[in-house]
């Protein structure tokens, strides 16, 4: 290492350290601890008051199918832009599909682009031990300030004091009791200027989490990259490691983890890499403990099939999109589990034979009192997400234990 390089590294470390000290002071004095102390996030599987669903103008058929299915079992709040005029149009579209509007409310927020990815930029509902609630908005999207002003709730807190830390819904998985699962691959991508202990500091203070479990990498199909293979250019349009694509809590002590069949892993390069990643994550979860010291109950769920979609050309070569397909990007409440269906897009006699049925059997054993339903997720996966990404559960007010 030359002197100039050594000087740069030392000063970079010093600068990061100074910023870290300033952040600790600012959070302790201001936004984070003061605004959210003793308030905790709930988990999706708790008793549900309503499920917010983002209306996608790009994939309206998908949204109609999801709302039609979900509203049979839960109250739905459909979030859209365009004011009352657009609301009337959406209502007519739903009525034409035979949707009963009695269990649906409409909320116009007029959020700019990508508004239907509610899980990523929606405020977090926090509850204290008396059941009182607050909203917490992370510094993720530029429309955040606007959203915080427009959202129809009185008690709101914005995580303030820094511009370094980012946190979005699909990248964190809470059990509602003090444990959160994070992914190093994604946190290094979205919080490149933060050390691991800085990231942990924010999760422990902003969300009052006492136990953090770090997994290493997510699905290969959930990455954001591209490459040439033969006559095709393959494009991956994923998130670079959101936990909700491969690891989810279904109760406060049980996690579902994606699993690649060993035979499939030996015949497909992408599946082989995903196999290695998921087995490493499995070992981490086996050795991890919950916030109260208990071991985690780990249940494996078959990985979803790799699905390709045509997406024009690139430099004269046919471009194929690798969809972000995943059975674990599901929507769960205390009554229903909505799973993505893939049987119509794969060879029924191949490696993925009866993939939907096998996945449903896992969920039925785990949640015998839930209604298990499937919806087509092709267009949503092609856009880079799933059912969990476009929804946000608001649980009924409850006292935290």
């Amino acid at each position: 290492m030359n002197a100039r390089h050594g000087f740069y590294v030392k000063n970079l470390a010093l600068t990061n350290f100074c910023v870290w000290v300033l952040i600790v002071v600012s959070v302790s004095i201001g936004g984070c601890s003061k605004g959210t102390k003793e308030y905790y996030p709930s988990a999706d599987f708790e008793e549900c008051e309503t499920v917010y669903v983002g209306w996608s103008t790009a994939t309206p058929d998908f949204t109609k199918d999801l709302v039609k299915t979900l509203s049979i079992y839960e109250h739905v709040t459909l979030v859209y832009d365009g004011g009352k005029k657009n609301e009337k149009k959406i209502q007519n579209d739903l009525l034409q599909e035979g949707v009963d509007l009695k269990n649906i409310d409409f909320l116009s927020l007029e959020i700019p682009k990508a508004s239907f990815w509610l899980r990523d930029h929606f405020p977090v509902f926090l509850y204290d031990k008396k059941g009182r609630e607050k909203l917490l908005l992370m510094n993720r999207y530029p429309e955040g300030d606007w959203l915080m002003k427009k959202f129809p709730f009185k008690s709101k807190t914005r995580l303030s004091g820094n511009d370094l830390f980012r946190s979005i819904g699909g990248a964190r998985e809470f059990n509602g009791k003090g444990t959160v699962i994070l992914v190093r691959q994604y946190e290094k991508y979205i919080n490149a200027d933060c050390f691991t202990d800085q990231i942990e500091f924010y999760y422990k203070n902003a969300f009052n989490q006492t136990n953090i479990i770090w997994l290493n990498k997510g699905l290969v199909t959930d990455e954001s990259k591209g490459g040439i293979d033969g006559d095709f250019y393959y494009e991956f349009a994923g998130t670079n490691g959101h936990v909700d694509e491969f690891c989810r809590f279904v109760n406060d002590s049980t996690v579902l983890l994606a699993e690649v069949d060993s035979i499939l892993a030996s015949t497909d390069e992408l599946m082989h890499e995903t196999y290695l990643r998921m087995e490493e994550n499995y070992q981490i979860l086996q050795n991890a403990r919950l916030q109260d010291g208990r071991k985690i109950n780990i249940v494996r769920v078959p990985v979803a099939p790799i699905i390709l979609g045509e997406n024009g050309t690139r430099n004269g070569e046919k471009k194929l999109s690798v969809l972000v397909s995943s059975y674990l990007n599901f929507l769960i409440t205390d009554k229903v589990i909505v799973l993505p269906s893939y049987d119509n897009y794969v060879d029924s006699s191949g490696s993925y034979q009866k993939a939907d049925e096998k996945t449903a059997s896992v969920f039925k054993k785990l949640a015998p009192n839930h209604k298990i339903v499937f919806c087509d997720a092709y267009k949503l996966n092609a856009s880079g997400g799933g059912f969990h990404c476009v929804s946000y559960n608001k649980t009924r007010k409850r006292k935290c234990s």
Side-chain angles (χ1 to χ4, degrees), residues 378-389:
Y378 180 91
K379 291 184 178 179
L380 192 62
N381 290 167
S383 299
F387 297 145
H388 191 247
C389 305

Side-chain angles (χ1 to χ4, degrees), residues 215-271:
L215 302 182
N216 285 333
K217 289 185 177 182
L219 304 176
V220 175
T221 52
D222 188 37
E223 295 187 351
S224 178
K225 60 183 182 181
I228 298 174
D229 186 2
D231 297 327
F232 300 100
Y233 178 86
Y234 290 89
E235 182 178 65
F236 296 74
T239 65
N240 285 317
H242 275 196
V243 68
D244 65 358
E245 296 288 352
F246 69 95
C247 185
R248 298 282 303 281
F249 278 110
V250 288
N251 58 48
D252 62 16
S253 60
T254 301
V255 296
L256 304 182
L257 179 67
E259 181 178 43
V260 180
D261 180 87
S262 58
I263 297 177
L264 186 60
S266 66
T267 58
D268 185 283
E269 183 178 348
L270 292 181
M271 283 300 186

Side-chain angles (χ1 to χ4, degrees), residues 30-46:
C32 184
S33 291
K34 181 180 179 181
T36 62
K37 187 178 181 180
E38 303 303 327
Y39 282 79
Y40 308 82
S42 58
D44 288 347
F45 50 78
E46 296 184 35

Side-chain angles (χ1 to χ4, degrees), residues 11-32:
N11 278 272
L12 177 62
L14 180 61
T15 300
N16 209 340
F17 174 76
C18 292
V19 171
W20 174 225
V21 172
L22 289 173
I23 291 173
V24 172
V25 173
S26 63
V27 171
S28 299
I29 296 175
C32 184

Side-chain angles (χ1 to χ4, degrees), residues 169-292:
R172 55 184 185 247
E173 184 68 12
F174 298 117
N175 76 339
K177 299 293 184 180
T179 293
V180 60
I181 299 177
L182 303 175
V183 183
R184 294 186 189 278
Q185 175 190 18
Y186 184 76
E187 293 300 329
K188 287 182 179 180
Y189 165 72
I190 198 69
N191 288 309
D193 294 323
C194 288
F195 296 126
T196 298
D197 56 355
Q198 292 172 308
I199 296 171
E200 291 188 349
F201 175 86
Y202 278 111
Y203 274 100
K204 289 178 179 179
N205 283 268
F207 298 102
N208 283 293
Q209 298 301 287
T210 58
N211 186 44
I212 298 175
I213 299 173
W214 285 96
L215 302 182
N216 285 333
K217 289 185 177 182
L219 304 176
V220 175
T221 52
D222 188 37
E223 295 187 351
S224 178
K225 60 183 182 181
I228 298 174
D229 186 2
D231 297 327
F232 300 100
Y233 178 86
Y234 290 89
E235 182 178 65
F236 296 74
T239 65
N240 285 317
H242 275 196
V243 68
D244 65 358
E245 296 288 352
F246 69 95
C247 185
R248 298 282 303 281
F249 278 110
V250 288
N251 58 48
D252 62 16
S253 60
T254 301
V255 296
L256 304 182
L257 179 67
E259 181 178 43
V260 180
D261 180 87
S262 58
I263 297 177
L264 186 60
S266 66
T267 58
D268 185 283
E269 183 178 348
L270 292 181
M271 283 300 186
H272 177 70
E273 176 60 26
T274 294
Y275 170 82
L276 295 176
R277 294 182 182 188
M278 293 305 107
E279 294 312 301
E280 182 180 40
N281 289 331
Y282 177 69
Q283 293 300 320
I284 293 172
L285 290 170
Q286 276 195 318
N287 294 324
R289 293 295 182 268
L290 296 166
Q291 70 288 334
D292 54 9

Side-chain angles (χ1 to χ4, degrees), residues 324-338:
V324 187
S325 53
S326 171
Y327 283 117
L328 287 173
N329 199 306
F330 59 85
L331 194 160
I332 184 173
T333 73
D334 58 312
K335 300 184 183 73
V336 63
I337 297 174
V338 183

Side-chain angles (χ1 to χ4, degrees), residues 72-324:
I72 297 173
Y73 309 99
E74 294 286 2
H75 182 271
V76 174
T77 301
L78 197 58
V79 181
Y80 68 99
D81 59 7
K84 286 293 182 180
K85 183 178 180 180
N86 197 31
E87 178 180 325
K88 190 66 176 177
K89 182 182 183 303
I90 294 172
Q91 289 178 346
N92 289 335
D93 288 345
L94 292 173
L95 288 171
Q96 289 179 6
E97 294 294 321
V99 180
D100 187 349
L101 301 183
K102 292 181 181 179
N103 212 25
I104 303 174
D105 284 338
F106 295 83
L107 177 62
S108 175
L109 286 181
E110 301 179 12
I111 307 172
K113 63 179 180 178
S115 61
F116 67 98
W117 300 116
L118 297 189
R119 184 70 53 171
D120 285 350
H121 58 70
F122 222 51
V124 182
F125 296 97
L126 304 175
Y127 303 87
D128 71 358
K129 293 181 178 180
K130 295 182 180 180
R132 295 174 298 190
E133 68 179 19
K134 275 184 177 290
L135 289 183
L136 174 66
L137 185 70
M138 310 303 294
N139 296 1
R140 174 61 181 93
Y141 288 98
E143 59 262 40
D145 286 325
W146 186 94
L147 177 62
M148 210 55 172
K149 294 175 183 177
K150 292 290 184 178
F151 208 83
F153 284 85
K154 294 181 179 179
S155 184
K156 311 171 193 177
T157 298
R158 174 148 188 153
L159 179 61
S160 59
N162 77 95
D163 290 318
L164 291 179
F165 180 64
R166 303 287 188 270
S167 175
I168 63 178
R172 55 184 185 247
E173 184 68 12
F174 298 117
N175 76 339
K177 299 293 184 180
T179 293
V180 60
I181 299 177
L182 303 175
V183 183
R184 294 186 189 278
Q185 175 190 18
Y186 184 76
E187 293 300 329
K188 287 182 179 180
Y189 165 72
I190 198 69
N191 288 309
D193 294 323
C194 288
F195 296 126
T196 298
D197 56 355
Q198 292 172 308
I199 296 171
E200 291 188 349
F201 175 86
Y202 278 111
Y203 274 100
K204 289 178 179 179
N205 283 268
F207 298 102
N208 283 293
Q209 298 301 287
T210 58
N211 186 44
I212 298 175
I213 299 173
W214 285 96
L215 302 182
N216 285 333
K217 289 185 177 182
L219 304 176
V220 175
T221 52
D222 188 37
E223 295 187 351
S224 178
K225 60 183 182 181
I228 298 174
D229 186 2
D231 297 327
F232 300 100
Y233 178 86
Y234 290 89
E235 182 178 65
F236 296 74
T239 65
N240 285 317
H242 275 196
V243 68
D244 65 358
E245 296 288 352
F246 69 95
C247 185
R248 298 282 303 281
F249 278 110
V250 288
N251 58 48
D252 62 16
S253 60
T254 301
V255 296
L256 304 182
L257 179 67
E259 181 178 43
V260 180
D261 180 87
S262 58
I263 297 177
L264 186 60
S266 66
T267 58
D268 185 283
E269 183 178 348
L270 292 181
M271 283 300 186
H272 177 70
E273 176 60 26
T274 294
Y275 170 82
L276 295 176
R277 294 182 182 188
M278 293 305 107
E279 294 312 301
E280 182 180 40
N281 289 331
Y282 177 69
Q283 293 300 320
I284 293 172
L285 290 170
Q286 276 195 318
N287 294 324
R289 293 295 182 268
L290 296 166
Q291 70 288 334
D292 54 9
R294 288 180 297 159
K295 294 187 68 174
I296 302 170
N297 179 34
I298 309 166
V299 178
R300 306 303 295 270
V301 175
V303 71
I306 294 176
I307 300 175
L308 303 178
E310 292 190 21
N311 192 19
T313 61
R314 181 182 183 274
N315 296 331
E317 294 171 327
K318 193 174 183 179
K319 186 166 65 173
L320 295 177
S321 294
V322 181
L323 273 63
V324 187

